[in-house]
Amino acid sequence: MDAKMILRMNAADHEISYANNSSFQKQVILKIRPIIEESITDAFKKIAPVCMKVADLGCSSGPNVFLAIWHILDTVHGICQQEQLKLPEFEVLLNDLPENDFNFVFKSIPGFYERLKKERGDMLQERCFIGGVAGSFYHRLFPTKSLHFVHSSYGIHWLSKVPVGLEDNKGNVYMARSSPPSVFKAYADQFQKDFTNFLSLRSEEIMPQGCMVLTCVGSSTRSRCGFIQRSSLHTLQRRNS
């Protein structure tokens, strides 16, 4: 069976769900808020769209779903107020694998709208339209040149498939100190293929002058065998020319 049809986080109401165990990921999104604000400000001022189309890839479910989206809407709202510009409409597209708990996500939308209305007024709330897109971000998800801004936090380290060449990784389900160098190379090679494919697909979907902010963890140092000694946060900003 295709991996994207069976892989998912636990349902949002599950005791060990991502929704109930994602405080660290929340702090990451909060930490990169200045980068999101800088990117969305630059894109909005250059494009000035009537309807700003935003996609969040690997949205999962739970309290973090709308965190980055709030930052994006709030940033554009602030720009329009400061420079006396007409507020655009927003089409927000939340993506994850088909088995994601989209029921929880959709049930959370009215509460998000209510918060927008309470804290930012009717105009912003009435101009925001949210939908879901089920599918792997290692495939095309959106029409050609249809997006202004793409965001993904803690998603792109998930590979599209199990790497080839793990036969010697006996006794381990992932990379470990006892894993031979060939195992680390297998994972690195698969990530390179997946990430190259990811960027190629998004370059077809993002409009000229649109941009993308991706956040993931990665190694900053490694031992001779490649085992990660210290992890660090990596945020990539990419602009479509």
Side-chain angles (χ1 to χ4, degrees), residues 90-108:
F90 297 90
E91 182 179 5
V92 178
L93 302 167
L94 303 175
N95 157 259
D96 213 310
L97 295 175
E99 290 299 314
N100 182 54
D101 191 358
F102 279 107
N103 283 335
F104 180 89
V105 174
F106 295 147
K107 289 177 182 178
S108 302

Side-chain angles (χ1 to χ4, degrees), residues 48-203:
V50 174
C51 178
M52 190 157 202
K53 299 183 179 181
V54 177
D56 190 11
L57 308 184
C59 66
S60 192
S61 60
N64 294 344
V65 171
F66 298 106
L67 194 55
I69 300 303
W70 176 273
H71 294 166
I72 294 166
L73 301 183
D74 196 40
T75 298
V76 176
H77 180 256
I79 294 171
C80 291
Q81 283 194 323
Q82 183 177 358
E83 302 190 12
Q84 297 184 327
L85 301 173
K86 183 178 180 180
L87 187 68
E89 293 183 328
F90 297 90
E91 182 179 5
V92 178
L93 302 167
L94 303 175
N95 157 259
D96 213 310
L97 295 175
E99 290 299 314
N100 182 54
D101 191 358
F102 279 107
N103 283 335
F104 180 89
V105 174
F106 295 147
K107 289 177 182 178
S108 302
I109 292 175
F112 179 72
Y113 283 154
E114 188 62 31
R115 182 189 172 195
L116 280 178
K117 181 177 180 179
K118 181 179 180 180
E119 298 188 24
R120 295 296 181 265
D122 290 339
M123 182 174 292
L124 181 56
Q125 181 261 318
E126 292 171 354
R127 289 175 174 268
C128 180
F129 304 89
I130 301 174
V133 178
S136 169
F137 50 51
Y138 292 123
H139 297 282
R140 280 290 300 271
L141 293 168
F142 310 103
T144 302
K145 307 302 180 189
S146 63
L147 301 174
H148 297 102
F149 187 79
V150 172
H151 171 264
S152 182
S153 182
Y154 271 49
I156 59 173
H157 61 280
W158 291 96
L159 303 179
S160 65
K161 63 180 182 179
V162 176
V164 176
L166 303 183
E167 296 80 6
D168 296 330
N169 199 28
K170 300 185 184 302
N172 301 309
V173 295
Y174 189 54
M175 294 177 286
R177 293 185 184 276
S178 59
S179 300
S182 61
V183 170
F184 292 91
K185 185 177 186 303
Y187 275 99
D189 288 348
Q190 185 61 49
F191 177 79
Q192 183 174 17
K193 291 177 183 177
D194 285 343
F195 193 46
T196 299
N197 179 45
F198 177 95
L199 294 178
S200 176
L201 295 169
R202 303 294 84 79
S203 70

Side-chain angles (χ1 to χ4, degrees), residues 15 20 58 110 112 121 158 173 175 194 196 211 219 224 226 229 233-234 240:
E15 181 181 354
N20 292 323
F112 179 72
W158 291 96
V173 295
M175 294 177 286
D194 285 343
T196 299
C211 62
S219 63
R224 286 185 300 172
Q229 300 292 324
L233 182 67
H234 295 266
N240 219 24

Side-chain angles (χ1 to χ4, degrees), residues 39-49 52 79 82-83 85:
S39 299
I40 201 71
T41 297
D42 189 42
F44 178 72
K45 288 185 175 181
K46 288 181 177 179
I47 303 172
M52 190 157 202
I79 294 171
Q82 183 177 358
E83 302 190 12
L85 301 173

